[in-house]
Amino acid sequence: MTSPAFRGGQSFTSRIAMWSARHRKAVAIGWVLAVIIALAACSGIGANTDIDMAAPGEAGEAADVFEERFGEEEDIAQEIIVFSHPSLTVDDPAYEDTVQGLLRELEGLVAEDTLVIGGTTVITDTRIVGDTLSHYDIGAPREASPFVAAAQNESGGDVTFALVEIEGEIEDAVDDIDIVLDTVDRAEEEAEGFDIFIGGDVSLTKQLTDIIDEDFARAGIINLPITFGILILAFGAVLAAAVPLALAFAAIIVTMGALAIISQVFPLVEVYQQVVLLIGLATGIDYSLFVITRYRRERSAGRSKEEALQVATGTSGKAIFFAGATTVFAVAGMFLVGDSVFSSLGLASIVVVLFAVFSAMTLLPAIIAMMGDNLNRLSIPFLGRGQERGEGVWGFIVDRVLARPIIPAVVVIAVLIAIAAPTLTLNLGFNGPRSFSDDADAKKALIALEESFTLGLVQPAIVVVDAGEKQNVFAEEIRNSTAALLGLVGEDTVSDDNPEALYGAVAREPDFSDAGDTALLFIPVNGDAGEERAIDAVNELRDDLIPATFEDGSADALVTGATAGNIDFRENIINRTPIVFAFVLGLAFIILLLTFRSLVIAVTAIVLNLFSVFAAYGLLVLVFQEGWLLEGVLDFEATGIIESWLPLFLFSLLFGLSIDYEMFVMARIKEKYEQGLSTDEAIAQGMKETAGVITNAAAIMVAVALIFAFTRDIGLKQFGFGLAVAIAVDATIIRAFVLPTTMKLLGKWNWYLPSWLEWLPTVPMSEEVSPMPAAGTADAGGE
């Protein structure tokens, strides 16, 4: 491929693209090698997902004390086995034989570990189950035992439970939990009349992870044909539709390999792969779609292949570069949350966006140069025609909206404000076991536990009593304070007379560190970790009971556990939200200002993008918090809670992804304006020419986001729904009604730049080429 015959200032994006086109074989081979190396890294190295999940606030301080005094090896996962019989009580020998027999069998379970010592392979047996605890171990009468509840039936049978500790940390124990689950299932089959359920840290982790993996595998099988179908509708040609998919997967695979290496230094949360898939498909396909559509339009207008590629990469390619930069900086706001999960997801998102942009700027031009007009091979009649010329329904809408802009602007903005209004009632929290999929068998144990005892037994509030270095927790004043605290808790313990109490019966003895300087008090709360009653219990412990009983300062008492961690996480999110918003909006404003050299366009783009974000928040509240309309469609029951992590995570991701459309359409409008059209003419033509491609790009992104909305995990459902809604609102209502009317009403003020900012560099959006060289000069590949 020869150098382009361009005698003006060629844009940096087209220079990169044209170099890639001239060296197309080397670029293609380089990307193939990168994909191969990435696949080798994924299989040979594997990602390190051993992430530090330390909670913020007091819960985090308590966790640090725990780790320092007890060590990580003491952090044993716990399962709870619930037994029930319609007529037998725990005093019956058959009941005791069933419980004790199962526990003895579990205590004898071992897993084989293979070790290589001095070149010799040694197989060792490792215990799976550690200590167990049941009603029969405490020697209390049936009526006084915290392990026993009367079943809800006339024949007076009992429900009891046993605590089973699983050796090793949760991540390691997941591999062996199937043996435990199979043993319990077999015991239930052999125990006549008994219902036996098991649930807890390890079983839930495994079952919920398996459900998510199954959902994504199923969704991927469904989603890819839908995405490919949308691309065929957009291009009207099979080969042109296949290219964006190929580039997206190339970027995703290379990202996975890079992250496998990066994770050895910066561990990643396990769900990073799903986030990479989502963002990689969305951005990789959209960026390619923009460039290919512009290339084909320039070819149909009579330009040579070389000229068409230069114009496409100098205009759409430039918009992609700045859109990608905005996305990267928006997602970088996650690092300001101060949470390892947010940071790892932010890192994964940034890496995949960078590779998506890089592939669109290098690999895509190389492929176009190779294929040329062969992109149109396997074309389908009547498809992909006229979208770049502004024909069809969007052209009709744009004409009508621009003819009378005030009424559409007022009506649509009023509707968006009404949709966003429920955001004011946003209830952040964590959804508990009742929100888990029924396909997770461990849920049955937790529900049975909740109905007869309290879910707080699974995730109790843990009070870390720290005596310091100079004394121990057995000192008289500390023992008195501890006893006083447990006494106050006992006054508000759940019973038949007090079912709404904050606390459950204390079923576990305190643990003490080897040095005697730290004690752990396990206080079951009467509710799961996300319920208001559990939150009230922890707040009462922190604000009232502990200050009243440890007022002498003899020891520090810190509250941790699942509920305490949830409270502190939510508080951290709320405190960090203004900082993240200011960071993301500030950087986006700077990029938009530099890109368009207009104060008004920068502000307009940010305000319009916020409309779509807050509309998504409002619909999230209506659907998932209030239970409007879609429970049956999305297969969930509203819990009244929006996941605490969701709004801030969604904002960072949404702002970066959805602003792509404002960036793309405004870039085309500015290009038309630079070519000499009036502001009104530039708005009309720019809107029409981008309407079809933006609709197709948004449809693909919505389809990808809906992968999450139809999973069985409530948090992922909320995330996928919020993302899909925001993108749909932004690409339809905002882009077709609010953006054109706003720019129409602003007129020449769209291009306003204060005199004190005249020093800013000019970034032209148009890409001019001179006439083609004389005959005999090579053209751009792919005859």
Side-chain angles (χ1 to χ4, degrees):
M1 185 175 192
T2 60
S3 300
F6 176 65
R7 291 191 282 268
Q10 187 179 4
S11 66
F12 69 98
T13 54
S14 68
R15 285 200 298 272
I16 294 171
M18 301 311 283
W19 182 93
S20 299
R22 289 193 298 273
H23 303 87
R24 49 191 175 272
K25 291 183 180 179
V27 170
I29 292 172
W31 269 95
V32 170
L33 290 175
V35 168
I36 293 172
I37 293 171
L39 290 172
C42 290
S43 59
I45 300 175
N48 176 16
T49 57
D50 186 16
I51 190 171
D52 180 13
M53 301 287 285
E58 183 176 326
E61 294 177 32
D64 291 340
V65 173
F66 172 84
E67 183 174 341
E68 177 186 344
R69 306 292 170 78
F70 288 85
E72 292 184 3
E73 69 276 2
E74 293 291 335
D75 189 12
I76 299 174
Q78 181 176 262
E79 295 286 310
I80 290 185
I81 304 177
V82 181
F83 301 81
S84 67
H85 195 281
S87 57
L88 296 181
T89 68
V90 292
D91 294 333
D92 287 298
Y95 207 129
E96 181 175 0
D97 289 344
T98 298
V99 175
Q100 297 284 56
L102 175 56
L103 295 184
R104 283 194 297 270
E105 188 175 358
L106 291 175
E107 290 170 353
L109 294 178
V110 295
E112 289 187 351
D113 286 338
T114 302
L115 302 176
V116 178
I117 302 175
T120 303
T121 301
V122 179
I123 298 177
T124 62
D125 290 336
T126 304
R127 289 184 65 191
I128 297 175
V129 173
D131 295 334
T132 62
L133 184 66
S134 71
H135 161 75
Y136 304 103
D137 296 314
I138 64 172
R142 172 177 178 267
E143 294 77 11
S145 173
F147 286 85
V148 181
Q152 301 299 312
N153 56 67
E154 297 178 357
S155 50
D158 278 346
V159 179
T160 187
F161 68 92
L163 302 175
V164 177
E165 290 184 344
I166 307 297
E167 297 284 7
E169 304 226 359
I170 292 177
E171 293 78 8
D172 301 322
V174 163
D175 296 333
D176 299 323
I177 194 63
D178 280 338
I179 302 175
V180 175
L181 300 180
D182 291 342
T183 302
V184 173
D185 288 342
R186 188 170 58 252
E188 183 182 28
E189 292 175 2
E190 296 172 354
E192 185 177 351
F194 277 90
D195 287 325
I196 306 176
F197 307 114
I198 180 172
D201 301 324
V202 184
S203 57
L204 274 173
T205 297
K206 176 176 176 51
Q207 291 167 9
L208 294 177
T209 300
D210 288 346
I211 286 171
I212 290 173
D213 291 343
E214 290 171 8
D215 288 344
F216 275 101
R218 187 185 309 115
I221 294 172
I222 298 172
N223 186 266
L224 288 179
I226 293 174
T227 300
F228 191 51
I230 295 172
L231 288 168
I232 290 176
L233 289 173
F235 291 123
V238 174
L239 287 184
V243 171
L245 271 178
L247 261 71
F249 277 107
I252 290 169
I253 293 170
V254 174
T255 298
M256 292 293 191
L259 289 174
I261 297 171
I262 293 172
S263 69
Q264 307 308 311
V265 178
F266 190 95
L268 302 169
V269 67
E270 286 188 0
V271 295
Y272 85 92
Q273 293 179 334
Q274 283 78 25
V275 173
V276 167
L277 179 65
L278 166 72
I279 300 176
L281 283 175
T283 56
I285 291 174
D286 281 5
Y287 294 165
S288 299
L289 181 63
F290 292 156
V291 172
I292 293 174
T293 301
R294 185 61 186 266
Y295 171 80
R296 282 160 46 105
R297 176 179 183 272
E298 296 301 323
R299 286 291 290 143
S300 65
R303 289 191 185 273
S304 68
K305 300 184 187 76
E306 186 176 68
E307 291 174 325
L309 182 58
Q310 181 180 334
V311 171
T313 55
T315 54
S316 296
K318 196 180 302 172
I320 287 169
F321 175 83
F322 286 110
T326 307
T327 301
V328 166
F329 285 120
V331 173
M334 294 185 195
F335 289 99
L336 300 178
V337 179
D339 181 84
S340 56
V341 174
F342 273 80
S343 297
S344 67
L345 293 180
L347 175 63
S349 303
I350 287 172
V351 173
V352 75
V353 170
L354 290 175
F355 277 118
V357 172
F358 188 59
S359 69
M361 295 178 65
T362 58
L363 181 57
L364 179 58
I367 291 176
I368 292 175
M370 290 179 185
M371 298 181 68
D373 290 339
N374 288 330
L375 278 171
N376 298 322
R377 288 285 182 88
L378 303 178
S379 61
I380 300 173
F382 310 113
L383 293 183
R385 302 288 186 259
Q387 66 175 13
E388 278 284 321
R389 296 190 295 273
E391 298 173 359
V393 64
W394 290 116
F396 176 83
I397 291 174
V398 168
D399 284 337
R400 300 305 179 275
V401 168
L402 291 177
R404 294 176 178 170
I406 295 179
I407 294 177
V410 172
V411 172
V412 172
I413 290 175
V415 170
L416 288 173
I417 292 174
I419 293 174
T423 303
L424 298 174
T425 65
L426 192 67
N427 179 33
L428 298 181
F430 287 83
N431 288 287
R434 287 199 176 275
S435 68
F436 297 161
S437 170
D438 291 338
D439 294 329
D441 288 337
K443 176 182 178 180
K444 298 175 185 176
L446 302 185
I447 298 302
L449 193 69
E450 180 183 33
E451 291 174 348
S452 298
F453 300 93
T454 170
L455 268 175
L457 291 167
V458 181
Q459 297 175 321
I462 302 173
V463 180
V464 180
V465 180
D466 178 14
E469 297 179 357
K470 297 183 179 180
Q471 58 179 332
N472 62 54
V473 292
F474 302 107
E476 182 178 359
E477 61 271 23
I478 297 179
R479 286 192 291 111
N480 290 339
S481 295
T482 300
L485 173 62
L486 295 178
L488 291 176
V489 169
E491 294 176 4
D492 194 16
T493 298
V494 65
S495 65
D496 292 340
D497 297 329
N498 189 17
E500 299 299 320
L502 292 181
Y503 308 101
V506 179
R508 180 174 172 183
E509 292 297 316
D511 281 353
F512 301 97
S513 63
D514 292 338
D517 54 1
T518 311
L520 301 180
L521 309 180
F522 300 92
I523 301 178
V525 293
N526 188 20
D528 73 52
E531 289 182 349
E532 281 301 317
R533 196 157 48 202
I535 293 171
D536 290 343
V538 169
N539 286 334
E540 183 182 68
L541 282 170
R542 286 177 167 178
D543 300 337
D544 301 324
L545 303 190
I546 288 175
T549 53
F550 285 85
E551 59 183 350
D552 59 0
S554 57
D556 291 329
L558 304 171
V559 183
T560 186
T563 302
N566 289 349
I567 293 171
D568 294 340
F569 181 84
R570 181 171 63 179
E571 287 300 314
N572 181 58
I573 289 291
I574 292 172
N575 293 334
R576 296 298 180 104
T577 293
I579 300 173
V580 175
F581 267 60
F583 174 83
V584 172
L585 296 179
L587 282 178
F589 173 80
I590 292 172
I591 294 174
L592 289 163
L593 183 63
L594 291 172
T595 304
F596 296 104
R597 212 167 180 268
S598 166
L599 194 66
V600 174
I601 286 180
V603 172
T604 299
I606 288 174
V607 171
L608 296 187
N609 213 37
L610 287 176
F611 269 121
S612 63
V613 170
F614 282 99
Y617 286 172
L619 289 172
L620 272 171
V621 170
L622 291 175
V623 172
F624 287 95
Q625 190 170 304
E626 304 300 331
W628 282 25
L629 299 176
L630 296 179
E631 285 181 302
V633 175
L634 297 179
D635 190 22
F636 74 98
E637 291 184 12
T639 60
I641 295 173
I642 302 298
E643 292 286 330
S644 291
W645 57 269
L646 181 62
L648 196 55
F649 179 72
L650 199 58
F651 168 76
S652 297
L653 199 56
L654 266 179
F655 198 88
L657 293 177
S658 62
I659 207 168
D660 287 358
Y661 304 131
E662 277 85 0
M663 185 79 75
F664 189 67
V665 68
M666 286 179 172
R668 186 65 64 86
I669 291 171
K670 186 170 185 279
E671 179 187 350
K672 296 296 179 182
Y673 184 73
E674 290 172 351
Q675 292 173 352
L677 273 64
S678 67
T679 298
D680 287 354
E681 291 171 337
I683 294 170
Q685 287 198 28
M687 290 293 304
K688 291 179 182 180
E689 291 182 3
T690 57
V693 66
I694 288 177
T695 299
N696 295 325
I700 291 168
M701 198 175 288
V702 168
V704 173
L706 287 177
I707 291 176
F708 290 82
F710 284 95
T711 60
R712 286 168 282 178
D713 180 88
I714 189 67
L716 292 179
K717 278 183 184 293
Q718 293 179 357
F719 169 66
F721 176 81
L723 186 60
V725 164
I727 292 168
V729 168
D730 187 76
T732 55
I733 298 174
I734 299 294
R735 187 251 305 172
F737 295 95
V738 184
L739 177 60
T741 56
T742 301
M743 295 191 74
K744 171 78 172 180
L745 293 172
L746 287 170
K748 290 186 177 181
W749 283 101
N750 284 294
W751 317 111
Y752 172 71
L753 185 72
S755 58
W756 52 274
L757 288 176
E758 288 293 338
W759 57 270
L760 290 176
T762 299
V763 181
M765 284 296 143
S766 56
E767 183 80 11
E768 296 182 4
V769 293
S770 62
M772 285 298 293
T777 303
D779 202 359
E783 296 302 328

